[in-house]
Amino acid sequence: MNSPYEGALPALRSARPGEPAGHMTKVGAARPFTQSQFIEQIVAQKTMPPYAEGMLNSPALEYFLEVVRTGSVNEASRRLLVAGSAISRQIGKLEQEIGVALFERRPRGMVPSEAGTLLAAYARRAALETDEVLAEIRGRGRLGTIVRVASSQGTAQEFLPSAMASFRKDHPGTTFHLPVVAPSLATQMVQDGSVDLAVTFSLAPTPDVRVIHAQRAPIQALVRSDHPLAQRNEIHLRDLLPYPVALTEEGTTNRRLFDLCCSVEGIAFEPLLVSSSSSVLSAFVKEANAVSLIGHISVHERLRVEGLKSITILNPEMHLRTIQIQAMAGRQLPAVVNEFADHLIHQLGETEV
C-alpha cells in the first residue's frame, strides 16, 4: 500500500542514512530542514510547509490531535478504538516525515513540543474552515446554523440565554449549543475547536486565543435587602468578617481573587457553604441571610425580583478580572458566529457586568 505522504516530502526521500531528517542531497539543492524552520514557516506564513501538506489527509493527523487532546496514547486509543501501537507508529511516522519531534515523552504522558503545538493549532483551524466551507455550500450562504458557545457559570445563568433568545428574533434559523464549564475549560474548548466562542471570566492572557471583546467584571458582595450591609453602596472585604459567608469553589476566578485579597489584607473566613453553583449561593443568601461574592451579570434579573442587593467591594484585587468573548487564534469564523459575537458585545454594553 502506498504511503499517504507519497510525493509530498521529497527532501526526506532523498536523505542518506545517518543524515538529519529534511536534509537534501545536492540534486535537490535545498537547505537542511530544522525544527526552527518548520516553526518559522507556520508562524510567518500561517501555512504548512509544502512538504508537509500531504499529511493533512492522513489518519496520522487524527491520531496526533487525539494524543494532544488527551495527553496519552492509551487514552487516545480508548477514545478512537484504535490499538495504541498503531497510534504510536503513525505519530512516529509523522515525526519522521516532518523531521521534528512533535511530543515530549514524559513519565506521566505526552506533552506537545513547540512544533507540535503549532501543528495542532494549524490542523484544527484547517479542519474547522473546511467544515465551514462545506456547510456554507450546502446551506447556500444562509445565516442558519448551529453556534457553539462554551460558558462559565456566571454568564450562563441569565446573560447568555437572554442574548441567544434575542438573537434568534432576527436569525430564526440559528440554533445554539451551550456547554457550561469552568472558565479554564471554556477557553480550552475554544483552543481545540470544540466550540466557536467562549464567554468567560479571565485573569490573564491565554495563548492560541483571540479576545474579540473584554471588559472589567468586578466581584461584588451579594446580600438580602434587609441585611445590615444592604444600607451601604460600598464596602471593604474586611467588613464581611462579622457575617456568615458562602463562597464559590477554589479555582474559580471569583475565589482566586477573594483568596488573593484575603492574603493581602491578612484576614481569613470560614465559609458556611462552598458551591460551584451561583444559583445555590444566591438561594443560600436568601434563606440564611448570609453574604456571598458574585459578578453582577450572574444575578442581574434576580436582583430585581428576589429582594437581593449587590454591593461594590472597594479592594482593588476584586476588580482585576475581565469578562471575555474568545475565539481560536487565526480562525476565520462563520458569518453567523461573527454576527452573534457582535450581538453579545452590544448586549454586554447594555448590561451591568
Side-chain angles (χ1 to χ4, degrees), residues 197-247:
L197 301 171
V199 182
T200 188
F201 297 110
S202 179
L203 301 178
T206 307
D208 300 324
V209 166
R210 174 168 63 97
V211 177
I212 297 173
H213 176 78
Q215 66 187 73
R216 289 290 176 189
I219 297 166
Q220 301 177 322
L222 181 70
V223 298
R224 225 164 62 179
S225 56
D226 61 349
H227 190 279
L229 292 175
Q231 305 307 313
R232 300 170 60 177
N233 293 320
E234 298 177 338
I235 59 173
H236 289 87
L237 195 63
R238 65 174 54 254
D239 294 330
L240 305 183
L241 283 170
Y243 306 106
V245 297
L247 300 176

Short mmCIF file of all heavy atoms in Angstrom, two decimals, residues 197-247:
data_model
loop_
_atom_site.label_atom_id
_atom_site.label_comp_id
_atom_site.label_asym_id
_atom_site.label_seq_id
_atom_site.Cartn_x
_atom_site.Cartn_y
_atom_site.Cartn_z
N LEU A 197 -17.07 29.94 20.15
CA LEU A 197 -16.80 31.07 21.04
C LEU A 197 -16.77 30.59 22.49
O LEU A 197 -17.41 29.60 22.83
CB LEU A 197 -17.87 32.15 20.92
CG LEU A 197 -18.10 32.81 19.56
CD1 LEU A 197 -19.35 33.68 19.62
CD2 LEU A 197 -16.89 33.63 19.14
N ALA A 198 -16.05 31.31 23.31
CA ALA A 198 -16.15 31.14 24.76
C ALA A 198 -16.52 32.49 25.35
O ALA A 198 -15.98 33.52 24.95
CB ALA A 198 -14.85 30.63 25.36
N VAL A 199 -17.45 32.48 26.28
CA VAL A 199 -17.79 33.68 27.03
C VAL A 199 -17.50 33.35 28.48
O VAL A 199 -18.19 32.54 29.10
CB VAL A 199 -19.28 34.08 26.84
CG1 VAL A 199 -19.58 35.37 27.60
CG2 VAL A 199 -19.59 34.24 25.36
N THR A 200 -16.47 33.96 29.01
CA THR A 200 -15.99 33.52 30.31
C THR A 200 -15.21 34.62 31.01
O THR A 200 -14.87 35.64 30.40
CB THR A 200 -15.09 32.27 30.13
OG1 THR A 200 -14.76 31.72 31.40
CG2 THR A 200 -13.81 32.62 29.37
N PHE A 201 -14.95 34.41 32.29
CA PHE A 201 -14.14 35.34 33.06
C PHE A 201 -12.68 34.95 32.94
O PHE A 201 -12.34 33.77 32.87
CB PHE A 201 -14.57 35.33 34.53
CG PHE A 201 -15.98 35.78 34.75
CD1 PHE A 201 -16.96 34.88 35.15
CD2 PHE A 201 -16.34 37.11 34.56
CE1 PHE A 201 -18.27 35.29 35.35
CE2 PHE A 201 -17.65 37.53 34.76
CZ PHE A 201 -18.61 36.62 35.16
N SER A 202 -11.79 35.95 32.95
CA SER A 202 -10.37 35.68 32.77
C SER A 202 -9.55 36.63 33.64
O SER A 202 -9.95 37.77 33.89
CB SER A 202 -9.98 35.84 31.30
OG SER A 202 -8.60 35.61 31.11
N LEU A 203 -8.39 36.12 34.06
CA LEU A 203 -7.47 36.94 34.86
C LEU A 203 -6.19 37.29 34.12
O LEU A 203 -5.45 38.16 34.55
CB LEU A 203 -7.11 36.20 36.16
CG LEU A 203 -8.27 35.83 37.08
CD1 LEU A 203 -7.76 35.07 38.30
CD2 LEU A 203 -9.03 37.07 37.52
N ALA A 204 -5.89 36.57 33.01
CA ALA A 204 -4.63 36.78 32.31
C ALA A 204 -4.77 36.36 30.86
O ALA A 204 -5.67 35.58 30.51
CB ALA A 204 -3.52 35.97 32.99
N PRO A 205 -3.88 36.84 29.97
CA PRO A 205 -3.92 36.42 28.57
C PRO A 205 -3.66 34.92 28.43
O PRO A 205 -2.99 34.31 29.25
CB PRO A 205 -2.77 37.23 27.93
CG PRO A 205 -2.51 38.35 28.88
CD PRO A 205 -2.83 37.84 30.24
N THR A 206 -4.22 34.33 27.37
CA THR A 206 -4.07 32.90 27.11
C THR A 206 -3.56 32.71 25.69
O THR A 206 -4.05 33.34 24.76
CB THR A 206 -5.43 32.19 27.26
OG1 THR A 206 -5.99 32.51 28.54
CG2 THR A 206 -5.26 30.68 27.16
N PRO A 207 -2.56 31.82 25.49
CA PRO A 207 -2.07 31.59 24.13
C PRO A 207 -3.10 30.91 23.24
O PRO A 207 -4.00 30.22 23.73
CB PRO A 207 -0.85 30.67 24.36
CG PRO A 207 -1.10 30.02 25.68
CD PRO A 207 -1.85 31.03 26.50
N ASP A 208 -2.98 31.10 21.93
CA ASP A 208 -3.84 30.48 20.93
C ASP A 208 -5.30 30.90 21.05
O ASP A 208 -6.20 30.19 20.62
CB ASP A 208 -3.76 28.94 20.99
CG ASP A 208 -2.35 28.44 20.74
OD1 ASP A 208 -1.66 29.06 19.92
OD2 ASP A 208 -1.94 27.45 21.37
N VAL A 209 -5.54 32.06 21.66
CA VAL A 209 -6.90 32.58 21.82
C VAL A 209 -6.93 34.03 21.35
O VAL A 209 -6.05 34.83 21.70
CB VAL A 209 -7.36 32.50 23.29
CG1 VAL A 209 -8.62 33.34 23.51
CG2 VAL A 209 -7.63 31.05 23.69
N ARG A 210 -7.92 34.34 20.54
CA ARG A 210 -8.14 35.74 20.14
C ARG A 210 -9.27 36.30 20.98
O ARG A 210 -10.37 35.74 21.02
CB ARG A 210 -8.51 35.81 18.66
CG ARG A 210 -8.92 37.20 18.18
CD ARG A 210 -8.99 37.27 16.66
NE ARG A 210 -10.01 36.39 16.12
CZ ARG A 210 -11.25 36.78 15.78
NH1 ARG A 210 -11.61 38.05 15.97
NH2 ARG A 210 -12.10 35.93 15.26
N VAL A 211 -9.00 37.37 21.69
CA VAL A 211 -10.02 38.01 22.53
C VAL A 211 -10.77 39.01 21.65
O VAL A 211 -10.24 40.06 21.27
CB VAL A 211 -9.39 38.70 23.75
CG1 VAL A 211 -10.48 39.41 24.56
CG2 VAL A 211 -8.67 37.67 24.61
N ILE A 212 -12.01 38.67 21.33
CA ILE A 212 -12.84 39.53 20.49
C ILE A 212 -13.29 40.76 21.26
O ILE A 212 -13.39 41.87 20.72
CB ILE A 212 -14.05 38.75 19.97
CG1 ILE A 212 -13.59 37.58 19.09
CG2 ILE A 212 -15.01 39.65 19.19
CD1 ILE A 212 -14.71 36.65 18.67
N HIS A 213 -13.55 40.58 22.54
CA HIS A 213 -14.04 41.69 23.37
C HIS A 213 -13.70 41.37 24.82
O HIS A 213 -13.76 40.22 25.24
CB HIS A 213 -15.56 41.84 23.22
CG HIS A 213 -16.14 42.89 24.11
ND1 HIS A 213 -16.05 44.24 23.83
CD2 HIS A 213 -16.83 42.79 25.28
CE1 HIS A 213 -16.65 44.93 24.79
NE2 HIS A 213 -17.14 44.08 25.68
N ALA A 214 -13.35 42.39 25.57
CA ALA A 214 -13.08 42.23 27.00
C ALA A 214 -13.52 43.49 27.73
O ALA A 214 -13.37 44.60 27.22
CB ALA A 214 -11.60 41.97 27.26
N GLN A 215 -14.08 43.31 28.91
CA GLN A 215 -14.38 44.46 29.77
C GLN A 215 -14.33 44.02 31.23
O GLN A 215 -14.47 42.83 31.54
CB GLN A 215 -15.76 45.06 29.44
CG GLN A 215 -16.95 44.19 29.72
CD GLN A 215 -18.23 44.81 29.19
OE1 GLN A 215 -18.47 44.84 27.98
NE2 GLN A 215 -19.07 45.30 30.09
N ARG A 216 -14.08 44.97 32.10
CA ARG A 216 -13.93 44.68 33.52
C ARG A 216 -15.20 44.04 34.08
O ARG A 216 -16.32 44.43 33.73
CB ARG A 216 -13.61 45.95 34.30
CG ARG A 216 -12.21 46.49 34.05
CD ARG A 216 -11.15 45.60 34.66
NE ARG A 216 -9.80 46.05 34.36
CZ ARG A 216 -8.71 45.35 34.64
NH1 ARG A 216 -8.83 44.16 35.20
NH2 ARG A 216 -7.52 45.82 34.34
N ALA A 217 -15.00 43.06 34.96
CA ALA A 217 -16.12 42.37 35.59
C ALA A 217 -15.82 42.23 37.08
O ALA A 217 -15.43 41.15 37.55
CB ALA A 217 -16.35 41.01 34.95
N PRO A 218 -15.97 43.29 37.85
CA PRO A 218 -15.61 43.24 39.27
C PRO A 218 -16.49 42.27 40.06
O PRO A 218 -17.62 41.98 39.67
CB PRO A 218 -15.82 44.68 39.74
CG PRO A 218 -16.76 45.28 38.75
CD PRO A 218 -16.48 44.61 37.44
N ILE A 219 -15.94 41.79 41.15
CA ILE A 219 -16.68 40.90 42.05
C ILE A 219 -17.34 41.75 43.13
O ILE A 219 -16.71 42.63 43.73
CB ILE A 219 -15.73 39.86 42.66
CG1 ILE A 219 -15.15 38.99 41.55
CG2 ILE A 219 -16.45 39.01 43.69
CD1 ILE A 219 -13.96 38.17 41.98
N GLN A 220 -18.60 41.49 43.38
CA GLN A 220 -19.38 42.27 44.34
C GLN A 220 -19.91 41.37 45.46
O GLN A 220 -19.93 40.14 45.33
CB GLN A 220 -20.55 42.95 43.63
CG GLN A 220 -20.11 43.89 42.52
CD GLN A 220 -21.29 44.50 41.78
OE1 GLN A 220 -22.30 43.86 41.55
NE2 GLN A 220 -21.16 45.77 41.40
N ALA A 221 -20.32 42.01 46.54
CA ALA A 221 -20.97 41.28 47.63
C ALA A 221 -22.46 41.18 47.33
O ALA A 221 -23.08 42.13 46.85
CB ALA A 221 -20.74 41.99 48.96
N LEU A 222 -23.03 40.01 47.62
CA LEU A 222 -24.47 39.79 47.42
C LEU A 222 -25.12 39.57 48.78
O LEU A 222 -24.70 38.68 49.54
CB LEU A 222 -24.69 38.56 46.53
CG LEU A 222 -26.15 38.23 46.22
CD1 LEU A 222 -26.75 39.27 45.28
CD2 LEU A 222 -26.25 36.83 45.60
N VAL A 223 -26.13 40.38 49.09
CA VAL A 223 -26.82 40.27 50.38
C VAL A 223 -28.33 40.38 50.17
O VAL A 223 -28.80 40.81 49.11
CB VAL A 223 -26.37 41.38 51.37
CG1 VAL A 223 -24.90 41.26 51.68
CG2 VAL A 223 -26.70 42.77 50.82
N ARG A 224 -29.06 40.00 51.19
CA ARG A 224 -30.51 40.22 51.17
C ARG A 224 -30.77 41.70 51.43
O ARG A 224 -29.98 42.39 52.07
CB ARG A 224 -31.14 39.36 52.27
CG ARG A 224 -32.37 38.62 51.83
CD ARG A 224 -32.73 37.52 52.78
NE ARG A 224 -33.04 38.00 54.13
CZ ARG A 224 -33.40 37.19 55.12
NH1 ARG A 224 -33.48 35.88 54.91
NH2 ARG A 224 -33.66 37.66 56.32
N SER A 225 -31.89 42.18 50.94
CA SER A 225 -32.19 43.62 51.05
C SER A 225 -32.37 44.07 52.49
O SER A 225 -32.29 45.28 52.77
CB SER A 225 -33.43 43.97 50.23
OG SER A 225 -34.53 43.18 50.63
N ASP A 226 -32.62 43.12 53.43
CA ASP A 226 -32.75 43.51 54.83
C ASP A 226 -31.49 43.20 55.64
O ASP A 226 -31.49 43.26 56.87
CB ASP A 226 -33.96 42.81 55.47
CG ASP A 226 -33.84 41.29 55.45
OD1 ASP A 226 -32.93 40.77 54.76
OD2 ASP A 226 -34.66 40.61 56.10
N HIS A 227 -30.40 42.87 54.96
CA HIS A 227 -29.13 42.59 55.64
C HIS A 227 -28.55 43.91 56.18
O HIS A 227 -28.75 44.96 55.56
CB HIS A 227 -28.15 41.93 54.67
CG HIS A 227 -26.92 41.39 55.31
ND1 HIS A 227 -25.82 42.18 55.63
CD2 HIS A 227 -26.60 40.13 55.70
CE1 HIS A 227 -24.89 41.42 56.18
NE2 HIS A 227 -25.33 40.17 56.22
N PRO A 228 -27.82 43.89 57.31
CA PRO A 228 -27.24 45.13 57.85
C PRO A 228 -26.36 45.89 56.85
O PRO A 228 -26.30 47.12 56.88
CB PRO A 228 -26.41 44.64 59.04
CG PRO A 228 -27.11 43.39 59.49
CD PRO A 228 -27.64 42.76 58.24
N LEU A 229 -25.70 45.16 55.93
CA LEU A 229 -24.83 45.83 54.97
C LEU A 229 -25.60 46.42 53.78
O LEU A 229 -25.04 47.17 52.99
CB LEU A 229 -23.77 44.86 54.44
CG LEU A 229 -22.70 44.40 55.43
CD1 LEU A 229 -21.79 43.36 54.79
CD2 LEU A 229 -21.87 45.59 55.93
N ALA A 230 -26.86 46.08 53.65
CA ALA A 230 -27.64 46.50 52.48
C ALA A 230 -27.85 48.00 52.43
O ALA A 230 -28.20 48.55 51.37
CB ALA A 230 -28.99 45.78 52.47
N GLN A 231 -27.61 48.69 53.54
CA GLN A 231 -27.77 50.15 53.55
C GLN A 231 -26.57 50.86 52.93
O GLN A 231 -26.61 52.06 52.70
CB GLN A 231 -27.93 50.64 55.00
CG GLN A 231 -29.07 49.96 55.77
CD GLN A 231 -30.39 50.04 55.02
OE1 GLN A 231 -30.76 51.11 54.55
NE2 GLN A 231 -31.08 48.92 54.90
N ARG A 232 -25.52 50.08 52.63
CA ARG A 232 -24.30 50.69 52.09
C ARG A 232 -24.14 50.34 50.62
O ARG A 232 -24.54 49.28 50.16
CB ARG A 232 -23.08 50.20 52.89
CG ARG A 232 -23.19 50.56 54.36
CD ARG A 232 -22.13 49.87 55.20
NE ARG A 232 -20.77 50.20 54.78
CZ ARG A 232 -19.68 49.76 55.42
NH1 ARG A 232 -19.81 48.96 56.49
NH2 ARG A 232 -18.47 50.11 54.99
N ASN A 233 -23.52 51.25 49.86
CA ASN A 233 -23.26 51.01 48.44
C ASN A 233 -21.84 50.55 48.17
O ASN A 233 -21.55 50.01 47.10
CB ASN A 233 -23.54 52.29 47.63
CG ASN A 233 -25.01 52.66 47.64
OD1 ASN A 233 -25.87 51.79 47.55
ND2 ASN A 233 -25.29 53.96 47.76
N GLU A 234 -20.95 50.76 49.14
CA GLU A 234 -19.55 50.36 49.01
C GLU A 234 -19.05 49.81 50.34
O GLU A 234 -19.40 50.33 51.40
CB GLU A 234 -18.67 51.55 48.60
CG GLU A 234 -19.02 52.17 47.26
CD GLU A 234 -18.17 53.39 46.95
OE1 GLU A 234 -17.62 54.00 47.91
OE2 GLU A 234 -18.05 53.75 45.77
N ILE A 235 -18.25 48.76 50.25
CA ILE A 235 -17.66 48.18 51.44
C ILE A 235 -16.24 47.71 51.13
O ILE A 235 -15.82 47.68 49.98
CB ILE A 235 -18.47 46.96 51.96
CG1 ILE A 235 -18.56 45.88 50.88
CG2 ILE A 235 -19.86 47.39 52.44
CD1 ILE A 235 -19.19 44.58 51.36
N HIS A 236 -15.49 47.36 52.18
CA HIS A 236 -14.23 46.67 52.04
C HIS A 236 -14.44 45.20 52.45
O HIS A 236 -15.39 44.89 53.17
CB HIS A 236 -13.15 47.30 52.91
CG HIS A 236 -12.69 48.64 52.41
ND1 HIS A 236 -13.32 49.81 52.76
CD2 HIS A 236 -11.66 48.99 51.58
CE1 HIS A 236 -12.71 50.84 52.17
NE2 HIS A 236 -11.70 50.35 51.44
N LEU A 237 -13.57 44.34 51.98
CA LEU A 237 -13.77 42.92 52.24
C LEU A 237 -13.80 42.61 53.73
O LEU A 237 -14.58 41.76 54.17
CB LEU A 237 -12.66 42.10 51.56
CG LEU A 237 -12.92 40.60 51.45
CD1 LEU A 237 -14.15 40.33 50.58
CD2 LEU A 237 -11.71 39.88 50.90
N ARG A 238 -13.00 43.30 54.51
CA ARG A 238 -12.98 43.02 55.94
C ARG A 238 -14.31 43.37 56.61
O ARG A 238 -14.58 42.89 57.72
CB ARG A 238 -11.81 43.72 56.63
CG ARG A 238 -11.83 45.22 56.66
CD ARG A 238 -10.69 45.77 57.51
NE ARG A 238 -9.37 45.28 57.13
CZ ARG A 238 -8.67 44.39 57.83
NH1 ARG A 238 -9.18 43.87 58.96
NH2 ARG A 238 -7.48 44.01 57.43
N ASP A 239 -15.16 44.18 55.97
CA ASP A 239 -16.48 44.49 56.53
C ASP A 239 -17.37 43.26 56.59
O ASP A 239 -18.40 43.26 57.28
CB ASP A 239 -17.17 45.58 55.71
CG ASP A 239 -16.46 46.91 55.78
OD1 ASP A 239 -15.84 47.19 56.83
OD2 ASP A 239 -16.50 47.68 54.79
N LEU A 240 -17.00 42.18 55.86
CA LEU A 240 -17.80 40.95 55.87
C LEU A 240 -17.47 40.04 57.04
O LEU A 240 -18.19 39.06 57.28
CB LEU A 240 -17.57 40.17 54.56
CG LEU A 240 -17.82 40.90 53.24
CD1 LEU A 240 -17.61 39.94 52.08
CD2 LEU A 240 -19.21 41.50 53.20
N LEU A 241 -16.40 40.33 57.76
CA LEU A 241 -15.94 39.42 58.82
C LEU A 241 -17.01 39.08 59.88
O LEU A 241 -17.08 37.93 60.32
CB LEU A 241 -14.70 40.01 59.50
CG LEU A 241 -13.38 39.87 58.71
CD1 LEU A 241 -12.27 40.71 59.35
CD2 LEU A 241 -12.97 38.41 58.63
N PRO A 242 -17.87 40.00 60.27
CA PRO A 242 -18.86 39.63 61.30
C PRO A 242 -20.00 38.73 60.81
O PRO A 242 -20.80 38.25 61.62
CB PRO A 242 -19.43 41.00 61.75
CG PRO A 242 -18.48 42.02 61.26
CD PRO A 242 -17.90 41.45 60.00
N TYR A 243 -20.07 38.49 59.50
CA TYR A 243 -21.26 37.83 58.95
C TYR A 243 -20.93 36.47 58.33
O TYR A 243 -19.80 36.23 57.87
CB TYR A 243 -21.90 38.73 57.88
CG TYR A 243 -22.19 40.13 58.38
CD1 TYR A 243 -21.39 41.21 57.99
CD2 TYR A 243 -23.24 40.36 59.27
CE1 TYR A 243 -21.64 42.49 58.45
CE2 TYR A 243 -23.49 41.64 59.74
CZ TYR A 243 -22.69 42.70 59.34
OH TYR A 243 -22.95 43.97 59.81
N PRO A 244 -21.91 35.56 58.31
CA PRO A 244 -21.70 34.27 57.64
C PRO A 244 -21.54 34.47 56.14
O PRO A 244 -22.23 35.32 55.55
CB PRO A 244 -22.97 33.49 57.97
CG PRO A 244 -24.00 34.52 58.29
CD PRO A 244 -23.27 35.67 58.91
N VAL A 245 -20.63 33.71 55.53
CA VAL A 245 -20.37 33.88 54.10
C VAL A 245 -20.54 32.54 53.37
O VAL A 245 -20.37 31.47 53.94
CB VAL A 245 -18.96 34.44 53.82
CG1 VAL A 245 -18.82 35.83 54.40
CG2 VAL A 245 -17.89 33.51 54.35
N ALA A 246 -20.89 32.65 52.09
CA ALA A 246 -20.97 31.50 51.19
C ALA A 246 -20.07 31.80 49.99
O ALA A 246 -20.17 32.87 49.40
CB ALA A 246 -22.41 31.28 50.74
N LEU A 247 -19.20 30.85 49.63
CA LEU A 247 -18.18 31.11 48.63
C LEU A 247 -18.23 30.10 47.48
O LEU A 247 -18.76 28.99 47.64
CB LEU A 247 -16.78 31.04 49.26
CG LEU A 247 -16.49 32.04 50.39
CD1 LEU A 247 -15.11 31.78 50.97
CD2 LEU A 247 -16.60 33.48 49.89
#
